[in-house]
Amino acid sequence: MTISKLPLQFDFSLRRHNTFGIDANAHAYLPVTSLETLQALRFDQDMASLPRLVLGGGSNLVLTQDFPGLVLHMCNRGREIAGADEDAVYVRAAAGENWHELVLWTLKQGLAGLENLSLIPGSVGAAPIQNIGAYGVELQERFHGLTALDMESGEILTLNRDACAFDYRDSVFKHSLRDRAVVLDVTFALPKRWQPDLRYADVAQELAARELLQPSARDISDAVIAIRTRKLPDPAVIGNAGSFFKNPIVTAAQRNVLLAQHPQLVNYLQPNGGYKLAAGWLIDQCGWKGKSLGAAGVYEKQALVLVNRGGASGRDVVRLAQAVQADVMARFGVALEPEPIFI
Ligand code: EPU
């Protein structure tokens, strides 16, 4: 065994590094502050052969056991205005930057475009992995490109929007580049001809209640922060990973059958002709809202969020998730797919 020069830590507790607050250890842990750290890792034979988990803010993660491999914690920093053209101002941020701090920083620079995505937990590098989205806007609409290190070839990859194959809470990083590419930085295109995006009824209502008829990007950010704070638990107070399930997409035929049986069914037509159902509504109808199973529970104000009521293990969370999935399947015949990554 060689003695590594990397700043590694062993048997490292991940409790403070996952927003569910689950207590599990990583065999090895490496804070990544630069590309050089990752390049050095590729030549460390003992470490390079271990299974890897790239960690950002740990806000989309369920730790069901100790992780027997190496956790790469992205801690690189930096954000800058990288250029502009007729259509957009380009902002580049390092993967280790906090997402919400980036949103606030862009607003402070007078740049609009990310305001609907305010207060989403997690890091910049994690944002494209699952194409974060909220209140009518998805990351892909503001995405310009990213660079990543291919841990297998050592190549720096430059990916544009098409290459990332974004879809609803999905991207190439969950498929062919999974366990292979480590995102280094992300560049956003913030539109010069900005229009407020008020497609989402909650946001429009919040602004109307504030009597803001021509809201600025800052006003929208404030409204989104207020809505999120009301509906979603603060991970610093109650452990959670945001929406635990994706909103399922069903065929028009399935939706029509369900709608006939359940006239209140929340459903949205998709561009491909399918219908997105509100998983929170389905779970709520099954009576799970506010309920617990062991130390894991379903949040009182939003049934799509599973929470740690104190000392929950990953297995408690999985048990609850399976019980919820089984009930939704039995009642509606709809399969719920979890959003977080399970380790
Ligand atoms: N609903 C209920 N009961 C509930 C929860 C929701 O009846 O307990 C109904 C609501 O009344 C509403 C519908 O379901 O008619 C949708 O609820 P909401 O507007 O709260 O949004 P969501 O579909 O539950 C999605 C995202 C959130 C995002 C919000 C706002 C997913 C999986 N979740 O939630 O994203 O913040 O829209 O855009 O797409 C996340 O991914 O972690 C996340 C929080």
Side-chain angles (χ1 to χ4, degrees):
M1 180 157 154
T2 50
I3 307 280
S4 178
K5 290 200 187 75
L6 295 165
L8 290 156
Q9 296 187 55
F10 292 92
D11 289 325
F12 183 87
S13 170
L14 295 172
R15 194 164 65 80
R16 287 187 308 112
H17 295 282
N18 71 101
T19 58
F20 244 120
I22 292 169
D23 203 2
N25 283 357
H27 165 62
Y29 168 89
L30 179 65
V32 176
T33 47
S34 68
L35 172 60
E36 288 68 37
T37 316
L38 288 176
Q39 277 163 336
L41 172 66
R42 290 189 62 250
F43 295 101
D44 184 312
Q45 280 180 359
D46 295 328
M47 288 298 129
S49 57
L50 290 175
R52 271 190 307 273
L53 168 65
V54 180
L55 186 67
S59 54
N60 204 39
L61 188 63
V62 183
L63 295 164
T64 63
Q65 56 184 356
D66 288 338
F67 182 62
L70 169 64
V71 167
L72 298 180
H73 187 193
M74 297 310 289
C75 301
N76 57 338
R77 289 300 172 114
R79 51 197 180 195
E80 60 177 348
I81 294 173
D85 60 21
E86 236 176 75
D87 301 319
V89 176
Y90 298 92
V91 167
R92 182 160 49 228
E97 287 287 336
N98 173 272
W99 173 262
H100 181 58
E101 283 170 19
L102 172 70
V103 174
L104 295 181
W105 182 81
T106 57
L107 293 171
K108 224 180 241 168
Q109 311 304 309
L111 300 172
L114 299 181
E115 57 284 347
N116 293 50
L117 304 175
S118 295
L119 210 61
I120 295 182
S123 62
V124 166
I129 310 292
Q130 60 156 350
N131 184 22
I132 58 171
Y135 303 104
V137 176
E138 280 188 341
L139 173 112
Q140 62 174 326
E141 295 164 60
R142 305 288 185 245
F143 179 87
H144 182 66
L146 61 74
T147 66
L149 180 66
D150 181 335
M151 293 298 286
E152 277 171 32
S153 66
E155 218 184 315
I156 303 276
L157 309 173
T158 303
L159 303 186
N160 64 14
R161 191 184 340 194
D162 285 348
C164 290
F166 291 120
D167 203 343
Y168 169 56
R169 298 293 193 271
D170 200 24
S171 74
V172 70
F173 302 102
K174 290 189 168 184
H175 301 280
S176 59
L177 291 182
R178 197 191 158 122
D179 295 331
R180 189 166 158 187
V182 178
V183 175
L184 300 169
D185 58 60
V186 184
T187 303
F188 302 91
L190 303 183
K192 278 196 170 162
R193 282 173 291 277
W194 173 80
Q195 293 282 339
D197 194 320
L198 307 176
R199 279 174 288 177
Y200 210 89
D202 281 2
V203 178
Q205 277 162 21
E206 181 70 26
L207 290 163
R210 294 170 178 223
E211 296 180 17
L212 293 164
L213 300 179
Q214 287 185 312
S216 66
R218 183 79 235 189
D219 293 333
I220 294 174
S221 173
D222 288 345
V224 167
I225 290 170
I227 298 165
R228 290 190 75 99
T229 307
R230 275 203 300 271
K231 276 197 174 177
L232 298 167
D234 176 356
V237 183
I238 306 172
N240 75 90
S243 299
F244 197 90
F245 300 102
K246 294 185 193 178
N247 284 328
I249 296 169
V250 299
T251 62
Q254 240 177 316
R255 171 260 191 187
N256 291 342
V257 171
L258 283 170
L259 197 57
Q261 292 163 350
H262 311 275
Q264 308 296 320
L265 183 82
V266 183
N267 64 105
Y268 312 96
L269 179 60
Q270 298 301 291
N272 67 1
Y275 283 84
K276 193 185 265 186
L277 306 182
W281 185 87
L282 299 172
I283 298 167
D284 198 351
Q285 293 297 304
C286 291
W288 271 108
K289 202 174 191 164
K291 295 271 170 62
S292 295
L293 194 61
V298 178
Y299 190 52
E300 298 59 42
K301 298 179 202 161
Q302 162 58 291
L304 196 49
V305 178
L306 302 193
V307 295
N308 181 351
R309 300 236 185 255
S313 67
R315 278 163 209 227
D316 291 331
V317 175
V318 169
R319 208 154 53 94
L320 172 62
Q322 287 172 342
V324 167
Q325 282 170 312
D327 280 2
V328 169
M329 178 51 82
R331 181 150 180 182
F332 298 102
V334 173
L336 291 185
E337 193 190 324
E339 202 194 288
I341 290 163
F342 290 75
I343 295 297

